[in-house]
Amino acid sequence: SLTYEILQGPLSIAGGIAFGIVWGVLSKYVPEKNDPYVVPLRILMLLGGGLISVLGSECLGFGGAGPLGCVSAAFVSLLCWSQQGWEIEDNPVATAFEIFWMLFEPVLFGLTGTQIKINELEAHTVMLCFACLVSGILIRVVATVFVAIGSQLNLKEKIFVALSWMSKASV
């Protein structure tokens, strides 16, 4: 129903944040801090929570809640672990996830383009998307030039700054 569709956004936000808070607090206590395997258990706890969040939210029909649950669980976990004495900058779980990211980032961005089926796209839709993209770039450049009016940059430098702030890849 329309009411359910309207409520799905706020429910996804609330559900994702609630799951992240519960999972983050749980990760503070489940592998106790004096366990000899605390680092691998916390890595598995955070990884498992992320998978449960994303896959579970998809099964329940609240796809937006999953990524939000992952981010909030990582934040709350880090906060709880720092209260137990782990430094934020020197966190072994964060280091493990940095290594995971180095391995899986190329795979993620490589597979992103495979979702697009060129032969199924309509020319009219592609042209509208292209016009929207070009309009967004032009608006961004003009807005950046206006924002930087008080700076001591010349016009070419302002345009360079606007273009260098462009988002990367599919983000």
Side-chain angles (χ1 to χ4, degrees), residues 64-75:
L68 191 55
C70 287
V71 171
S72 57
F75 174 76

Side-chain angles (χ1 to χ4, degrees), residues 98-113 168:
E98 287 174 10
I99 294 168
F100 289 159
W101 183 243
M102 283 190 296
L103 295 173
F104 291 116
E105 181 183 23
V107 175
L108 172 70
F109 287 107
L111 292 176
T112 300
K168 67 174 188 158

Side-chain angles (χ1 to χ4, degrees), residues 1-16 60-65 68:
S1 69
L2 180 60
T3 306
Y4 178 75
E5 292 291 326
I6 292 171
L7 290 176
Q8 192 172 10
L11 288 174
S12 291
I13 293 170
L60 295 174
F62 293 96
L68 191 55

Side-chain angles (χ1 to χ4, degrees), residues 4-64:
Y4 178 75
E5 292 291 326
I6 292 171
L7 290 176
Q8 192 172 10
L11 288 174
S12 291
I13 293 170
I17 291 173
F19 177 83
I21 290 171
V22 169
W23 197 265
V25 171
L26 185 65
S27 71
K28 178 181 181 179
Y29 298 108
V30 169
E32 61 182 29
K33 68 179 182 177
N34 296 325
D35 191 309
Y37 299 105
V38 70
V39 173
L41 288 174
R42 284 183 173 176
I43 291 169
L44 289 174
M45 183 75 174
L46 202 54
L47 183 64
L51 288 172
I52 289 170
S53 178
V54 171
L55 299 177
S57 67
E58 288 291 330
C59 286
L60 295 174
F62 293 96

